[in-house]
Amino acid sequence: MAAAMVEHQQEPEGRPWDYLLRTWQELDVPEGWRAEIDEGHIVLAPPPHAHHHGIAAKVQRRLYTNLPDELEIYQTLGVHVTPLDKLYVPDLVVMPAELIDTADSETSDPVDASEALLIVEITSKGNAREDRTKKYRAYARGGVPLYLLIDRFDTRGAMATLFTEPNEDGTYKRSDPVPFGKPLVLPAPFDVTLSTDAFPV
């Protein structure tokens, strides 16, 4: 199912981002759904397929193999892409646990995407294009050093691609695409080989 857009009334005086963030914080989102801020709108995405969750669980389990104690893996954590005033809720985010543990308990402000060491997006049929284009460019602009895109709907066949070395122009200098069934090496601080042969297509 495609994402739905939340319509809102005319914004009050002030920055549009502040208004959108306040609205996002106050939303009562149905369980399993996600609310993101993109292109000046709040977008709701429905719960993904069970296979989507299965892949996320396998990736998370593997990432924990050599993960340093000061890092943690978070599911559906809102991240703010500051240069673009976008707010995305990736499938997995790896970042220093201290940033989450010391966050202001009175607000639900998103963390800055630049603090992430790795962001993982797993495509669904309705959002694959956004993960390949909008989010790819946003994470690069936001300075996310590693972006792992697991794309079951790639026209070349199911692929896992690790993008590294982000540019301010919204691209990554390097990409390492592997078809499902082939191993994908994740560099330090993870230092693990991700097996994709068990990913459901």
Side-chain angles (χ1 to χ4, degrees):
M1 184 188 293
M5 198 172 296
V6 176
E7 295 296 333
H8 53 79
Q9 303 299 319
Q10 185 173 356
E11 300 164 13
E13 294 290 325
R15 288 183 61 218
W17 167 256
D18 295 332
Y19 171 74
L20 285 168
L21 179 59
R22 202 162 54 249
T23 304
W24 177 82
Q25 291 167 332
E26 294 170 357
L27 278 178
D28 184 13
V29 181
E31 185 175 353
W33 286 63
R34 299 187 200 182
E36 299 184 322
I37 300 175
D38 193 9
E39 307 296 338
H41 297 282
I42 295 176
V43 180
L44 292 179
H49 189 276
H51 287 171
H52 186 285
H53 293 293
I55 291 173
K58 288 176 175 60
V59 172
Q60 184 164 347
R61 181 185 294 269
R62 189 67 182 138
L63 288 174
Y64 273 124
T65 305
N66 298 322
L67 196 70
D69 290 342
E70 65 271 16
L71 300 179
E72 189 55 87
I73 304 168
Y74 301 96
Q75 298 179 19
T76 62
L77 174 71
V79 295
H80 179 200
V81 183
T82 305
L84 301 175
D85 269 347
K86 294 176 182 278
L87 188 154
Y88 291 134
V89 183
D91 293 297
L92 299 173
V93 180
V94 180
M95 65 171 44
E98 182 181 11
L99 294 174
I100 305 301
D101 296 343
T102 60
D104 187 344
S105 61
E106 298 300 315
T107 69
S108 55
D109 287 350
V111 296
D112 198 286
S114 65
E115 301 285 0
L117 280 77
L118 169 70
I119 283 181
V120 180
E121 293 282 9
I122 302 162
T123 61
S124 297
K125 192 170 284 189
N127 73 357
R129 185 174 179 183
E130 283 76 13
D131 290 349
R132 296 174 196 142
T133 57
K134 282 185 182 181
K135 291 187 178 182
Y136 164 86
R137 290 192 294 268
Y139 293 145
R141 281 288 306 277
V144 177
L146 301 174
Y147 173 40
L148 176 58
L149 175 63
I150 300 174
D151 191 351
R152 295 179 292 145
F153 306 100
D154 192 300
T155 55
R156 300 167 292 177
M159 303 283 287
T161 305
L162 181 66
F163 297 99
T164 57
E165 299 181 32
N167 284 314
E168 289 184 4
D169 67 358
T171 62
Y172 282 91
K173 291 180 184 177
R174 297 176 59 90
S175 65
D176 185 10
V178 301
F180 280 21
K182 300 290 186 181
L184 178 62
V185 177
L186 300 183
F190 307 103
D191 294 316
V192 296
T193 299
L194 188 63
S195 175
T196 66
D197 54 1
F199 288 176
V201 177

